Amino acid sequence: MNKILIANRGEIAVRIIRACRELGIKTVAVFSTIDRDALHCRLADESYCIGSPPSKHSYLSIPQLMSVAAVSGSDAIHPGYGFLAENHKFARVCEQYQIKFIGPTSKHIKQLGDKLTAKQLAKNEGVPLLSGSDEPLHTFEEAQAAAKKIGYPLIIKAAAGGGGRGMRIVRSAKHLQENFLTAQREAETFFGNAQVFIEKFLTSPRHVEIQLVADEFGNAIHLGERDCSIQRRHQKIIEESPCPTITKKIRTQLGNAALKIARSVKYISLGTVEFLLDRDNSFYFIEMNTRIQVEHPITELVTGIDLVKEQIRIACGEKIDLKGSNFQPRGHAIECRINAEDAITFAPNPGRVHDFHLPSGPGIRIDSMLVKDCYIPPDYDSMIAKLIAYGNNREEALNRMRRALQEMQVNGIKTNINFHLKVIDHPTFRKGDISTNFIDELLSTSK
Ligand code: ADP
């Protein structure tokens, strides 16, 4: 592989350029008109404008991306996360034009990207699932029948959903109809697929996910778990590895369950298998992500493996290093997603960053898109940086994170840095006694 086109922007485009540089591979950046001066364009060897700011005219435009790949002579495309990263049609077009898609095959993305088909696959492998409707529900009557079997509370989800959108929690029968109809409408609008299904809703689980690495020779290993329970509106904002309460036995069970799913389809590349872990340590598969995750750096810090380089090497047809199969996490890592948002309403707060200071020192890593006077556009995700802290144990990692959050400054826009500080120092969080409700509970008590 000589040249990789990065079909993305922001911190992940920068992260991929760094991996390519270290591997001696040339990079091609793409940008919408509003991102002309963005960091990823400055760092890449070449950069090309692919359209106007709305994603559908630029970062989601398959014809534009394929044209740049041809003109620049790129032999591979890295999709990053978001945008086209889990679009099986894009992966298929790359396959047809013999441009390597750095990820799994289009068939894998299709099989595993749909939550319902992925759940069916998991079920066939004996991986535990929450009770739910196995088929998509088309009418309210079908939803009613399924709800009767499953019981309340339940959650309605879009089969093609992602990014925490397209989900509705229903706590009693009288709210089923309105939520079902809205969920169907939203699924069609957001994901172009009206299929929805119902699943039992767990009231205070942890979100625990397993990082998988698999090559085309049938080797697959897992690199332990990430606890991503600190979420707002089903979107992760703080992640850590290892999970503070998990035993070695549960880690092995989760890892084996994730590997069963990957092996059943002869999966290739990086992948993340997501589970909900209940109070009694029972766990349930919820979905698989067939791409690099936002939170991959925490796994990199506790394993010493550069996941993006590994992903590129696998796409080049190399074998994975099986030493990881005896995986034991080393130390503790935590990541805070720094978003351009209002501290009270959490609404995105785009604008120009006049000045900033990024923390450093022992155990601190920053993956960011910030440069002086950069503009954070309203058109894309509001995450501007990932602040990652590593320590010999959880306490050291958290103390380093606190110190780094205190050092960090971003002037010109509002950010959630102070909100992170509140979480990091919260006694319940410090104890590791968290669930996906943590933020809602914190906000309701601080009102
Ligand atoms: P997405 O693909 O949009 O990220 P997921 O299926 O991964 O959606 O779920 C995102 C989050 O929503 C989970 O981490 C969890 O907090 C919540 N969630 C999803 N399903 C359930 C469920 N059955 N019970 C409780 N919480 C759930």
Side-chain angles (χ1 to χ4, degrees):
M1 225 176 255
N2 294 311
K3 206 187 246 190
I4 295 178
L5 183 152
I6 297 145
N8 217 302
R9 65 181 297 282
E11 70 81 24
I12 193 63
V14 172
R15 169 72 187 90
I16 297 162
I17 292 169
R18 287 178 172 148
C20 292
R21 277 264 151 88
E22 290 177 26
L23 290 169
I25 299 173
K26 293 247 178 296
T27 51
V28 176
V30 292
F31 61 92
S32 73
T33 47
I34 206 143
D35 277 340
R36 191 173 296 279
D37 297 321
L39 182 58
H40 72 285
C41 303
R42 300 184 191 192
L43 293 183
D45 295 299
E46 297 167 47
S47 59
Y48 295 81
C49 183
I50 48 165
S52 56
S55 305
K56 65 171 190 268
H57 298 312
S58 47
Y59 298 103
L60 290 176
S61 168
I62 297 176
Q64 299 281 55
L65 291 164
M66 296 314 287
S67 304
V68 173
V71 168
S72 62
S74 300
D75 32 30
I77 294 185
H78 196 308
Y81 53 70
F83 296 122
L84 293 168
E86 287 176 287
N87 183 312
H88 65 90
K89 289 183 188 148
F90 180 49
R92 180 91 191 101
V93 171
C94 292
E95 286 160 6
Q96 280 164 344
Y97 284 86
Q98 286 167 359
I99 288 183
K100 187 77 198 169
F101 177 84
I102 302 178
T105 63
S106 58
K107 194 168 153 225
H108 290 137
I109 301 177
K110 193 166 181 199
Q111 276 176 317
L112 296 161
D114 181 291
K115 290 185 205 277
L116 267 175
T117 51
K119 281 179 75 167
Q120 192 55 50
L121 237 149
K123 190 174 179 182
N124 297 344
E125 294 303 310
V127 172
L129 296 179
L130 288 160
S131 58
S133 57
D134 287 346
E135 302 287 327
L137 303 167
H138 303 288
T139 63
F140 171 59
E141 288 68 34
E142 285 176 11
Q144 225 173 2
K148 215 168 182 180
K149 263 203 249 156
I150 297 159
Y152 292 89
L154 54 80
I155 184 165
I156 308 174
K157 290 187 182 180
R165 293 197 302 179
M167 283 186 285
R168 303 190 80 85
I169 301 160
V170 188
R171 299 191 190 272
S172 70
K174 75 171 189 266
H175 298 297
L176 183 64
Q177 187 164 23
E178 58 173 288
N179 277 297
F180 176 73
L181 297 176
T182 315
Q184 260 188 334
R185 245 193 341 264
E186 285 180 355
E188 177 65 49
T189 318
F190 294 147
F191 311 110
N193 173 353
Q195 288 195 349
V196 296
F197 64 98
I198 287 181
E199 191 174 83
K200 180 87 195 145
F201 180 73
L202 289 184
T203 50
S204 57
R206 302 177 89 103
H207 172 116
V208 179
E209 59 185 35
I210 295 287
Q211 177 67 55
L212 292 180
V213 186
D215 65 22
E216 63 188 51
F217 306 97
N219 302 307
I221 57 168
H222 79 84
L223 297 176
E225 78 286 357
R226 295 182 286 255
D227 185 327
C228 312
S229 304
I230 303 298
Q231 304 179 350
R232 191 159 179 283
R233 299 209 182 112
H234 308 303
Q235 279 188 11
K236 302 161 187 170
I237 55 172
I238 299 180
E239 306 94 351
E240 60 184 310
S241 184
C243 168
T245 55
I246 213 169
T247 59
K248 218 170 150 184
K249 188 171 153 210
I250 302 291
R251 174 176 301 125
T252 306
Q253 288 176 1
L254 285 166
N256 288 342
L259 284 169
K260 267 193 199 166
I261 297 174
R263 288 187 176 129
S264 74
V265 295
K266 299 193 168 58
Y267 189 77
I268 303 169
S269 192
L270 302 186
T272 295
V273 181
E274 299 191 335
F275 298 93
L276 293 181
L277 181 68
D278 214 349
R279 295 262 152 197
D280 61 359
N281 274 339
S282 41
F283 60 83
Y284 308 93
F285 167 78
I286 52 169
E287 68 157 351
M288 178 159 173
N289 291 321
T290 56
R291 54 169 164 83
I292 187 91
Q293 299 272 106
V294 176
E295 58 273 20
H296 74 274
I298 54 175
T299 299
E300 295 188 319
L301 293 182
V302 295
T303 60
I305 295 174
D306 183 317
L307 286 170
V308 180
K309 285 204 287 202
E310 203 59 34
Q311 191 184 23
I312 295 170
R313 285 197 196 103
I314 291 168
C316 291
E318 289 183 30
K319 268 195 183 143
I320 56 172
D321 179 359
L322 288 173
K323 284 202 284 293
S325 54
N326 292 321
F327 167 78
Q328 273 307 314
R330 207 193 47 224
H332 199 94
I334 176 161
E335 173 182 282
C336 288
R337 298 189 187 191
I338 309 297
N339 296 335
E341 65 187 23
D342 185 279
I344 298 175
T345 61
F346 295 97
N349 192 258
R352 196 162 295 282
V353 176
H354 299 302
D355 197 12
F356 63 92
H357 173 75
L358 298 183
S360 54
I364 296 300
R365 164 174 167 181
I366 289 238
D367 284 18
S368 107
M369 59 189 277
L370 294 175
V371 279
K372 189 162 163 37
D373 287 329
C374 64
Y375 180 65
I376 309 299
D379 308 83
Y380 315 111
D381 191 86
S382 61
M383 193 178 77
I384 54 168
K386 303 188 305 204
L387 177 53
I388 307 131
Y390 177 80
N392 288 316
N393 51 47
R394 187 170 189 260
E395 195 188 356
E396 187 176 47
L398 294 186
N399 289 343
R400 280 185 168 151
M401 178 58 86
R402 183 214 285 128
R403 186 263 294 165
L405 285 164
Q406 286 166 342
E407 276 178 34
M408 187 163 181
Q409 279 183 30
V410 182
N411 300 329
I413 54 167
K414 295 177 188 165
T415 72
N416 59 350
I417 293 176
N418 283 332
F419 184 75
H420 279 302
L421 271 169
K422 242 194 244 169
V423 176
I424 294 298
D425 271 339
H426 195 283
T428 311
F429 181 78
R430 281 272 164 172
K431 273 194 260 157
D433 180 20
I434 48 175
S435 78
T436 54
N437 287 329
F438 179 86
I439 298 286
D440 282 346
E441 286 164 6
L442 179 71
L443 293 175
S444 67
T445 53
S446 55
K447 256 181 204 157

Coordinates of all heavy atoms in Angstrom, one line a residue, residues 275-342:
F275 N -21.9 -5.1 24.7 CA -22.8 -5.8 25.6 C -23.3 -4.9 26.6 O -22.7 -3.9 27.0 CB -22.0 -6.9 26.3 CG -21.4 -7.9 25.5 CD1 -20.1 -7.8 25.0 CD2 -22.1 -9.1 25.1 CE1 -19.5 -8.8 24.2 CE2 -21.5 -10.1 24.3 CZ -20.2 -9.9 23.9
L276 N -24.5 -5.2 27.2 CA -24.9 -4.6 28.4 C -24.6 -5.6 29.6 O -24.9 -6.8 29.4 CB -26.4 -4.3 28.4 CG -26.8 -3.2 27.4 CD1 -28.3 -2.9 27.4 CD2 -26.0 -1.9 27.6
L277 N -24.0 -5.1 30.6 CA -23.7 -6.0 31.8 C -24.6 -5.6 32.9 O -24.6 -4.4 33.4 CB -22.2 -5.7 32.1 CG -21.6 -6.5 33.3 CD1 -21.4 -8.0 32.9 CD2 -20.2 -5.9 33.6
D278 N -25.4 -6.5 33.4 CA -26.3 -6.2 34.5 C -25.7 -6.3 35.8 O -24.5 -6.8 36.0 CB -27.5 -7.1 34.3 CG -28.8 -6.4 34.8 OD1 -28.7 -5.3 35.3 OD2 -29.9 -7.0 34.5
R279 N -26.4 -5.9 36.9 CA -25.9 -5.8 38.2 C -25.4 -7.2 38.7 O -24.4 -7.3 39.5 CB -27.0 -5.4 39.2 CG -27.4 -3.9 38.9 CD -26.7 -3.0 39.9 NE -26.5 -1.7 39.3 CZ -25.7 -0.8 39.8 NH1 -24.9 -1.0 40.8 NH2 -25.6 0.4 39.2
D280 N -26.1 -8.3 38.2 CA -25.7 -9.6 38.7 C -24.6 -10.2 37.8 O -24.4 -11.5 37.8 CB -26.9 -10.5 38.7 CG -27.5 -10.7 37.3 OD1 -27.0 -10.0 36.4 OD2 -28.5 -11.4 37.2
N281 N -24.0 -9.4 37.0 CA -22.9 -9.9 36.0 C -23.4 -10.7 34.9 O -22.6 -11.2 34.1 CB -21.8 -10.6 36.8 CG -20.8 -9.7 37.3 OD1 -20.6 -8.6 36.9 ND2 -20.0 -10.2 38.3
S282 N -24.7 -10.8 34.7 CA -25.2 -11.4 33.4 C -25.0 -10.4 32.3 O -25.1 -9.2 32.6 CB -26.6 -11.9 33.5 OG -27.4 -11.0 34.2
F283 N -24.7 -10.8 31.1 CA -24.4 -9.9 30.0 C -25.2 -10.3 28.8 O -25.6 -11.4 28.6 CB -22.9 -9.8 29.7 CG -22.3 -11.1 29.3 CD1 -22.3 -11.5 28.0 CD2 -21.6 -11.8 30.3 CE1 -21.7 -12.7 27.7 CE2 -20.9 -13.0 29.9 CZ -21.0 -13.4 28.6
Y284 N -25.5 -9.3 28.0 CA -26.3 -9.4 26.8 C -25.7 -8.7 25.6 O -25.3 -7.5 25.7 CB -27.7 -8.9 27.0 CG -28.3 -9.4 28.3 CD1 -28.2 -8.8 29.5 CD2 -29.0 -10.7 28.3 CE1 -28.7 -9.3 30.7 CE2 -29.5 -11.2 29.5 CZ -29.4 -10.5 30.7 OH -29.9 -11.0 31.8
F285 N -25.6 -9.4 24.5 CA -25.1 -8.7 23.2 C -26.1 -7.7 22.8 O -27.3 -8.0 22.7 CB -24.9 -9.8 22.2 CG -24.7 -9.2 20.8 CD1 -23.4 -8.7 20.4 CD2 -25.7 -9.2 19.8 CE1 -23.2 -8.2 19.1 CE2 -25.5 -8.7 18.6 CZ -24.3 -8.2 18.2
I286 N -25.6 -6.5 22.4 CA -26.6 -5.5 21.8 C -26.2 -5.2 20.4 O -27.1 -5.1 19.5 CB -26.8 -4.2 22.6 CG1 -25.5 -3.5 23.0 CG2 -27.7 -4.5 23.8 CD1 -25.7 -2.1 23.6
E287 N -25.0 -5.0 20.0 CA -24.6 -4.8 18.6 C -23.1 -4.9 18.4 O -22.3 -5.0 19.3 CB -25.1 -3.4 18.2 CG -24.4 -2.2 18.8 CD -24.4 -0.9 18.0 OE1 -24.9 -0.9 16.9 OE2 -24.0 0.1 18.6
M288 N -22.8 -4.9 17.1 CA -21.3 -4.9 16.8 C -21.0 -3.7 15.9 O -21.8 -3.4 15.0 CB -21.0 -6.2 16.0 CG -19.5 -6.3 15.6 SD -19.0 -7.9 15.3 CE -17.3 -7.6 14.7
N289 N -19.9 -3.1 16.1 CA -19.5 -2.0 15.2 C -18.3 -2.5 14.4 O -17.3 -3.0 15.0 CB -19.1 -0.8 16.1 CG -20.3 -0.1 16.7 OD1 -21.3 0.0 16.1 ND2 -20.2 0.3 17.9
T290 N -18.4 -2.3 13.1 CA -17.4 -2.9 12.2 C -16.3 -1.9 11.7 O -16.0 -1.8 10.6 CB -18.1 -3.5 11.0 OG1 -18.9 -2.4 10.4 CG2 -19.1 -4.6 11.3
R291 N -15.8 -1.1 12.7 CA -14.9 0.0 12.3 C -14.1 0.3 13.5 O -14.3 -0.2 14.6 CB -15.8 1.2 11.9 CG -16.7 1.5 13.1 CD -17.4 2.8 13.0 NE -18.6 2.9 13.8 CZ -18.6 3.2 15.1 NH1 -17.4 3.4 15.8 NH2 -19.7 3.3 15.8
I292 N -13.2 1.3 13.3 CA -12.4 1.8 14.5 C -13.4 2.6 15.4 O -14.2 3.3 14.8 CB -11.2 2.7 14.0 CG1 -10.3 3.1 15.2 CG2 -11.6 3.9 13.3 CD1 -9.2 2.1 15.4
Q293 N -13.3 2.5 16.7 CA -14.2 3.3 17.6 C -13.5 4.6 18.0 O -12.3 4.6 18.1 CB -14.4 2.5 18.8 CG -15.1 1.1 18.7 CD -16.6 1.2 18.7 OE1 -17.2 1.1 17.6 NE2 -17.2 1.3 19.8
V294 N -14.3 5.5 18.4 CA -13.8 6.8 18.9 C -12.9 6.5 20.1 O -11.8 7.0 20.2 CB -15.0 7.7 19.4 CG1 -14.4 8.9 20.1 CG2 -15.9 8.0 18.3
E295 N -13.3 5.5 20.9 CA -12.6 5.3 22.2 C -11.4 4.3 22.1 O -10.9 3.8 23.1 CB -13.6 4.8 23.3 CG -14.4 3.6 23.0 CD -15.7 3.8 22.2 OE1 -15.8 4.9 21.5 OE2 -16.6 3.0 22.2
H296 N -10.9 4.1 20.9 CA -9.8 3.1 20.7 C -8.6 3.4 21.5 O -7.8 2.5 21.9 CB -9.5 2.8 19.2 CG -8.8 3.9 18.5 ND1 -9.4 5.0 18.0 CD2 -7.4 4.1 18.4 CE1 -8.5 5.8 17.5 NE2 -7.3 5.3 17.7
P297 N -8.2 4.7 21.7 CA -6.9 5.0 22.4 C -6.8 4.3 23.7 O -5.7 4.0 24.1 CB -6.9 6.5 22.5 CG -7.7 7.0 21.3 CD -8.9 6.0 21.3
I298 N -7.9 4.2 24.5 CA -7.7 3.6 25.8 C -7.3 2.1 25.8 O -6.5 1.7 26.6 CB -9.0 3.8 26.7 CG1 -10.2 3.2 26.1 CG2 -9.2 5.2 27.1 CD1 -11.5 3.2 27.0
T299 N -7.7 1.4 24.7 CA -7.2 0.1 24.5 C -5.8 0.1 24.1 O -5.0 -0.7 24.5 CB -8.1 -0.7 23.5 OG1 -9.5 -0.7 24.0 CG2 -7.7 -2.1 23.2
E300 N -5.4 1.1 23.3 CA -4.0 1.2 22.8 C -3.1 1.4 24.1 O -2.0 0.8 24.1 CB -3.9 2.3 21.9 CG -4.6 2.1 20.6 CD -4.3 3.2 19.5 OE1 -4.2 4.4 19.8 OE2 -4.2 2.8 18.3
L301 N -3.6 2.2 25.0 CA -2.7 2.5 26.2 C -2.6 1.3 27.1 O -1.5 1.1 27.7 CB -3.2 3.7 26.9 CG -3.1 5.0 26.1 CD1 -3.6 6.2 27.0 CD2 -1.7 5.3 25.7
V302 N -3.6 0.5 27.3 CA -3.5 -0.7 28.2 C -2.9 -1.9 27.5 O -2.6 -2.9 28.2 CB -4.8 -1.0 29.0 CG1 -5.2 0.2 29.9 CG2 -5.9 -1.4 28.1
T303 N -2.8 -1.9 26.2 CA -2.3 -3.1 25.5 C -0.9 -2.8 24.9 O -0.2 -3.7 24.5 CB -3.2 -3.6 24.4 OG1 -3.3 -2.5 23.4 CG2 -4.5 -4.0 24.9
G304 N -0.6 -1.5 24.6 CA 0.6 -1.2 23.9 C 0.5 -1.5 22.4 O 1.5 -1.4 21.7
I305 N -0.7 -1.7 21.9 CA -0.9 -2.0 20.4 C -1.5 -0.8 19.7 O -2.4 -0.2 20.2 CB -1.9 -3.2 20.3 CG1 -1.2 -4.5 20.8 CG2 -2.2 -3.4 18.8 CD1 -2.1 -5.7 20.9
D306 N -0.9 -0.4 18.6 CA -1.4 0.7 17.8 C -2.5 0.1 16.9 O -2.2 -0.6 15.9 CB -0.2 1.3 17.0 CG -0.7 2.5 16.2 OD1 -1.8 2.5 15.6 OD2 0.1 3.5 16.1
L307 N -3.7 0.4 17.3 CA -4.8 -0.3 16.6 C -5.0 0.2 15.1 O -5.3 -0.6 14.2 CB -6.2 -0.1 17.3 CG -6.3 -0.9 18.6 CD1 -7.5 -0.4 19.4 CD2 -6.5 -2.4 18.3
V308 N -4.7 1.5 14.9 CA -4.9 1.9 13.5 C -3.8 1.3 12.6 O -4.1 0.9 11.5 CB -4.9 3.5 13.4 CG1 -5.1 4.0 12.0 CG2 -6.0 4.0 14.3
K309 N -2.6 1.2 13.1 CA -1.6 0.6 12.3 C -1.9 -0.9 12.1 O -1.7 -1.4 11.0 CB -0.2 0.7 13.0 CG 0.4 2.1 12.8 CD 1.9 2.2 12.9 CE 2.4 2.0 14.3 NZ 3.7 2.6 14.6
E310 N -2.4 -1.5 13.1 CA -2.8 -2.9 13.0 C -3.9 -3.1 11.9 O -3.8 -4.0 11.1 CB -3.3 -3.4 14.4 CG -3.2 -4.9 14.6 CD -1.8 -5.5 14.5 OE1 -0.8 -4.8 14.9 OE2 -1.8 -6.6 14.1
Q311 N -4.9 -2.2 11.9 CA -5.9 -2.2 11.0 C -5.4 -2.1 9.5 O -5.9 -2.8 8.6 CB -6.9 -1.1 11.3 CG -8.2 -1.1 10.6 CD -9.0 0.2 10.9 OE1 -8.5 1.2 11.3 NE2 -10.4 0.0 10.8
I312 N -4.4 -1.2 9.4 CA -3.9 -1.0 8.0 C -3.0 -2.3 7.6 O -3.1 -2.8 6.5 CB -3.0 0.3 8.0 CG1 -3.9 1.5 8.2 CG2 -2.2 0.4 6.7 CD1 -3.1 2.8 8.4
R313 N -2.3 -2.8 8.6 CA -1.5 -4.0 8.3 C -2.4 -5.2 7.8 O -2.1 -5.9 6.9 CB -0.7 -4.4 9.5 CG 0.5 -3.5 9.7 CD 1.5 -4.2 10.7 NE 2.4 -3.3 11.2 CZ 2.4 -2.7 12.4 NH1 1.4 -3.1 13.3 NH2 3.2 -1.9 12.8
I314 N -3.5 -5.3 8.6 CA -4.5 -6.4 8.2 C -5.0 -6.2 6.8 O -5.1 -7.1 6.0 CB -5.6 -6.5 9.3 CG1 -5.1 -6.9 10.6 CG2 -6.7 -7.4 8.8 CD1 -6.0 -6.8 11.8
A315 N -5.3 -4.9 6.5 CA -5.8 -4.6 5.1 C -4.8 -4.9 4.1 O -5.1 -5.2 2.9 CB -6.3 -3.2 5.1
C316 N -3.5 -4.9 4.5 CA -2.4 -5.2 3.5 C -2.2 -6.7 3.4 O -1.3 -7.2 2.8 CB -1.1 -4.6 4.0 SG -1.0 -2.8 3.9
G317 N -3.0 -7.5 4.1 CA -2.9 -8.9 4.0 C -1.9 -9.5 5.0 O -1.4 -10.6 4.8
E318 N -1.5 -8.8 6.1 CA -0.6 -9.3 7.0 C -1.3 -10.1 8.1 O -2.5 -9.9 8.4 CB 0.3 -8.2 7.7 CG 1.2 -7.6 6.7 CD 2.1 -6.5 7.3 OE1 2.4 -6.6 8.5 OE2 2.5 -5.6 6.5
K319 N -0.5 -11.0 8.8 CA -1.1 -11.8 9.9 C -1.0 -11.0 11.2 O -0.1 -10.2 11.4 CB -0.2 -13.0 10.1 CG -0.6 -14.2 9.3 CD 0.1 -15.5 9.9 CE -0.4 -16.6 9.0 NZ 0.6 -17.6 8.7
I320 N -2.0 -11.2 12.1 CA -1.9 -10.5 13.3 C -1.0 -11.2 14.3 O -0.7 -12.4 14.1 CB -3.3 -10.3 14.0 CG1 -4.0 -11.7 14.2 CG2 -4.2 -9.4 13.3 CD1 -5.3 -11.6 15.0
D321 N -0.4 -10.5 15.2 CA 0.5 -11.1 16.2 C -0.4 -11.7 17.3 O -1.1 -11.1 18.0 CB 1.3 -9.9 16.8 CG 2.3 -10.4 17.8 OD1 2.3 -11.6 18.1 OD2 3.0 -9.6 18.4
L322 N -0.2 -13.1 17.4 CA -1.1 -13.8 18.3 C -0.7 -13.7 19.8 O -1.4 -14.2 20.7 CB -1.2 -15.3 17.9 CG -2.0 -15.4 16.6 CD1 -1.9 -16.9 16.1 CD2 -3.4 -15.0 16.8
K323 N 0.4 -12.9 20.1 CA 0.7 -12.8 21.5 C -0.4 -12.1 22.3 O -0.6 -12.4 23.5 CB 2.0 -11.9 21.6 CG 3.2 -12.7 21.3 CD 4.5 -12.1 21.9 CE 5.0 -10.9 21.2 NZ 5.5 -11.1 19.8
G324 N -1.2 -11.3 21.6 CA -2.4 -10.7 22.2 C -3.4 -11.6 22.8 O -4.3 -11.3 23.5
S325 N -3.3 -12.9 22.3 CA -4.4 -13.9 22.8 C -4.2 -14.2 24.2 O -5.2 -14.7 24.8 CB -4.3 -15.1 21.9 OG -3.1 -15.7 21.9
N326 N -3.1 -13.9 24.9 CA -3.0 -14.1 26.3 C -3.2 -12.7 27.0 O -2.5 -12.4 28.0 CB -1.6 -14.7 26.7 CG -1.5 -16.1 26.2 OD1 -2.5 -16.8 26.3 ND2 -0.4 -16.4 25.7
F327 N -4.1 -11.9 26.5 CA -4.2 -10.6 26.9 C -4.5 -10.3 28.4 O -5.3 -10.9 29.0 CB -5.3 -9.9 26.1 CG -5.7 -8.6 26.7 CD1 -5.0 -7.5 26.4 CD2 -6.8 -8.5 27.5 CE1 -5.3 -6.3 27.0 CE2 -7.2 -7.3 28.1 CZ -6.4 -6.2 27.8
Q328 N -3.7 -9.5 29.0 CA -3.9 -9.0 30.3 C -3.7 -7.4 30.3 O -2.7 -7.0 29.9 CB -2.8 -9.5 31.3 CG -3.1 -10.9 31.9 CD -4.5 -10.9 32.5 OE1 -4.9 -10.0 33.3 NE2 -5.3 -12.0 32.2
P329 N -4.8 -6.7 30.7 CA -4.6 -5.2 30.6 C -3.5 -4.8 31.6 O -3.3 -5.3 32.6 CB -5.9 -4.7 31.1 CG -6.6 -5.8 31.8 CD -6.1 -7.1 31.3
R330 N -2.7 -3.8 31.1 CA -1.6 -3.2 31.9 C -1.9 -1.8 32.3 O -2.0 -0.9 31.5 CB -0.3 -3.3 31.1 CG 1.0 -3.5 31.8 CD 2.1 -3.2 30.9 NE 1.8 -2.0 30.1 CZ 2.0 -1.8 28.8 NH1 2.5 -2.8 28.1 NH2 1.7 -0.7 28.2
G331 N -2.1 -1.6 33.6 CA -2.5 -0.2 34.0 C -3.9 0.1 33.7 O -4.8 -0.8 33.5
H332 N -4.2 1.4 33.7 CA -5.6 1.9 33.5 C -5.6 3.1 32.6 O -4.8 4.0 32.8 CB -6.2 2.2 34.9 CG -7.7 2.2 34.9 ND1 -8.5 1.1 35.2 CD2 -8.6 3.2 34.5 CE1 -9.7 1.4 35.1 NE2 -9.8 2.6 34.7
A333 N -6.6 3.2 31.7 CA -6.7 4.3 30.8 C -8.1 4.9 30.8 O -9.1 4.1 30.9 CB -6.3 4.0 29.4
I334 N -8.3 6.2 30.7 CA -9.6 6.8 30.7 C -9.6 7.9 29.6 O -8.6 8.5 29.4 CB -9.9 7.3 32.1 CG1 -11.3 8.0 32.0 CG2 -8.9 8.2 32.7 CD1 -11.9 8.2 33.4
E335 N -10.7 8.0 28.9 CA -10.8 9.1 27.9 C -12.0 10.0 28.1 O -13.1 9.5 28.5 CB -11.0 8.4 26.5 CG -11.3 9.3 25.4 CD -11.6 8.7 24.0 OE1 -10.6 8.3 23.4 OE2 -12.7 8.5 23.6
C336 N -11.9 11.3 28.0 CA -13.0 12.2 28.1 C -13.1 12.8 26.7 O -12.2 13.3 26.1 CB -12.7 13.3 29.1 SG -12.8 12.8 30.8
R337 N -14.4 12.8 26.2 CA -14.6 13.4 24.9 C -14.9 14.9 25.1 O -15.8 15.2 25.8 CB -15.8 12.8 24.2 CG -15.7 11.3 23.9 CD -16.8 10.8 23.1 NE -16.8 9.4 22.9 CZ -17.5 8.7 22.1 NH1 -18.4 9.3 21.3 NH2 -17.4 7.4 22.0
I338 N -14.0 15.7 24.6 CA -14.2 17.2 24.8 C -15.1 17.7 23.6 O -14.7 17.6 22.4 CB -12.8 17.9 24.8 CG1 -11.9 17.3 25.8 CG2 -13.0 19.4 25.1 CD1 -12.3 17.3 27.2
N339 N -16.2 18.2 24.0 CA -17.2 18.6 22.9 C -17.4 20.1 23.0 O -17.3 20.7 24.1 CB -18.6 18.0 23.2 CG -18.6 16.5 23.0 OD1 -17.7 15.9 22.3 ND2 -19.5 15.8 23.7
A340 N -17.6 20.7 21.8 CA -17.9 22.1 21.7 C -19.4 22.2 22.0 O -20.3 22.0 21.1 CB -17.7 22.7 20.3
E341 N -19.8 22.4 23.3 CA -21.2 22.5 23.6 C -21.4 23.3 24.9 O -20.5 23.6 25.7 CB -21.7 21.0 23.8 CG -21.1 20.3 25.0 CD -21.5 18.8 25.1 OE1 -21.9 18.2 24.1 OE2 -21.5 18.3 26.2
D342 N -22.7 23.8 25.0 CA -23.1 24.6 26.1 C -23.1 23.7 27.4 O -23.7 22.6 27.4 CB -24.5 25.1 25.8 CG -24.9 26.1 26.9 OD1 -25.4 25.6 28.0 OD2 -24.8 27.3 26.7

